[in-house]
Structures are given as structure tokens and as C-alpha cells.
Amino acid sequence: MAKDLKERYEEYKELGYTVFERLHSKETTDGWIRKYHELQQNTPRNADGTLTTWFASTCELAPLEMLPIVSHPEILDFAEMVMGPFVQLDNLTIAGGERNVSKEEARNKVALWHRDRWGKVPTTERYESPLSCNAISYMVDLDDDYGPLRVIPGSHRKPITLTDEEIFVPHKDEVIVYAKAGDVVFTHNMLLHTGTPNTSGKNRYFFSVYYNRTWLRHTDNHSGPNVQKIVQQARLRNDHRTLRLFGIDEQLEKRANSGFRVADDIQWAEWAAADKAAIKK
């Protein structure tokens, strides 16, 4: 039975991540792969003649396909539960052409242990709401050849540090996440995690849908004509949630100076409900 969002939130606070299994259909993920290759063919080659393998500001490049990913209602509901109704799209990146390595080269290696943008080394084991989150969306089934995701559960609440040598080798407390096509792994920005070298000889396709709070800078360029059309339509609907995704938070001044007399989870839920009720059909 699928977890409800409250169960996920408790898991997330404890572990630093949660997996939304099969959130997207095979038809959807196959469509994303086709779009990835279309973007490759329509993008000038690099100076060395190679194809581009990572694409950023993807909502501008392919708004029809990408907007449903960043605005997926279950993911946004959860993001607002975790960060409050302050959820902005920092960046949407699609990848599929990472370097493949030999099994010998990959033996006892990981890609790079790290915490994400706006993170820090925790100073207390008390849970802190994140400044940013990653909704990592996979388009293929990860196995030992493709290279699974590795996480250190609870490292968003523990002052774990790693040397320059340790960031490239497996960790004694790691958990290996064999995500499937259509899964979304939603992580806390202070969770230590890494990929595993890809030895499959095939492309490992995935999205990084990275959210941060609206008073922080966003990495993607939201000023292009396609994103601005999304913004204009959101204004007509009085859709604060979509406006916030693209850097426009008209509620921020009032909510950032609310007095903070009510517990965050209660206040955030009230604000989120008010934003949904304000949308014009």
C-alpha cells in the first residue's frame, strides 16, 4: 500500500529521503527519453564535437513535457509540507550521457559523496526543515550495472564529515537505492548521497528537479518566452503556487513576517490551502 504524505513526512524526517514508487508511467518516461534525444539533435555540438549530455533550464526548452514534472501535485504537496508554501524551482536538469566506465575501474568506487546546494554539515541531531530539496526522477531501472543511488540515512541530522579520499568509496552506513523507471527519490539537501559509476554501456537517464525556498536565488533562467507564458497564464488563474515555482512569490512579505506564533506545519498547511482555494477555475 502506498504511503500517504504524512507517513512519508515522518520517514523523510527520520531518514532524509523518501521514494515515490512508480509515480510516472512507462509511457511518460519513454517520452522523456525521446525528448532528451530530440534536445541533443537540436543543440549545437560542443567545441570538441561531442553531443551535449546535460540540459538545464529545461522548462524553457520543452515546456509542454517539463511543466507537468515540476508541478506534479503529489510532489508539490509534499514539498510544501517539507519546506512550507515557499517552493521555487531552482533548476530542472535532464541527463543521459554520463561517461561509462569498466567494471574494473568502478570496483569499490562511488561517484562523489556530497550534500546538495544550500546545505551544511548538521550541528544537531534535531531535524531541521531544508532550504532545498531534490526530486530525482529516473527513466530507467537502476541495477548494479547502471549504477544505483547510494544514501547515508539520517546524515541530514548527523555531523558526518568525509575526507577527500572517503568521498569516492562506499560508506559503512550507506543504503543502496535501486530505483525503478518512474520512481522519484525526494531528498533533503543535507543528506549525504552519491551515484555509482555506470558500467552498463548504456545511457542512465534521469531528471534532477531541484526546489529551493523563494527568497533564495534560482539557477535556471525563468525569463524566457516559454516560461513567461506559463507565468502569464498562472496570473490569470491567480495561481500563486505556479508563480512561486518561477520566482514570483507575492505572499512572501506577509508570510515571512507573520509573527511565528503558530507551529510551522499548522501554519504552512493553512497557507497552502488558502493558495489552492484562491485559484480561479
Side-chain angles (χ1 to χ4, degrees), residues 136-178:
I136 312 170
S137 307
Y138 290 95
M139 291 170 258
V140 294
D141 293 350
L142 298 187
D143 56 21
D144 289 327
D145 291 333
Y146 263 121
L149 177 69
R150 297 167 184 256
V151 301
I152 302 178
S155 55
H156 64 310
R157 296 181 293 103
K158 298 175 183 176
I160 298 172
T161 58
L162 301 170
T163 66
D164 289 348
E165 292 74 28
E166 289 171 333
I167 61 177
F168 294 112
V169 296
H171 191 274
K172 63 182 179 62
D173 296 326
E174 72 179 27
V175 166
I176 300 178
V177 181
Y178 292 100

Side-chain angles (χ1 to χ4, degrees), residues 210-239:
Y210 203 75
Y211 301 106
N212 65 16
R213 300 201 186 204
T214 51
W215 55 85
L216 299 173
R217 292 183 177 183
H218 51 79
T219 307
D220 275 359
N221 181 358
H222 296 330
S223 63
N226 289 327
V227 169
Q228 284 305 299
K229 184 176 180 180
I230 294 169
V231 168
Q232 291 165 10
Q233 293 170 342
R235 285 195 184 282
L236 292 174
R237 296 193 308 274
N238 200 35
D239 184 349

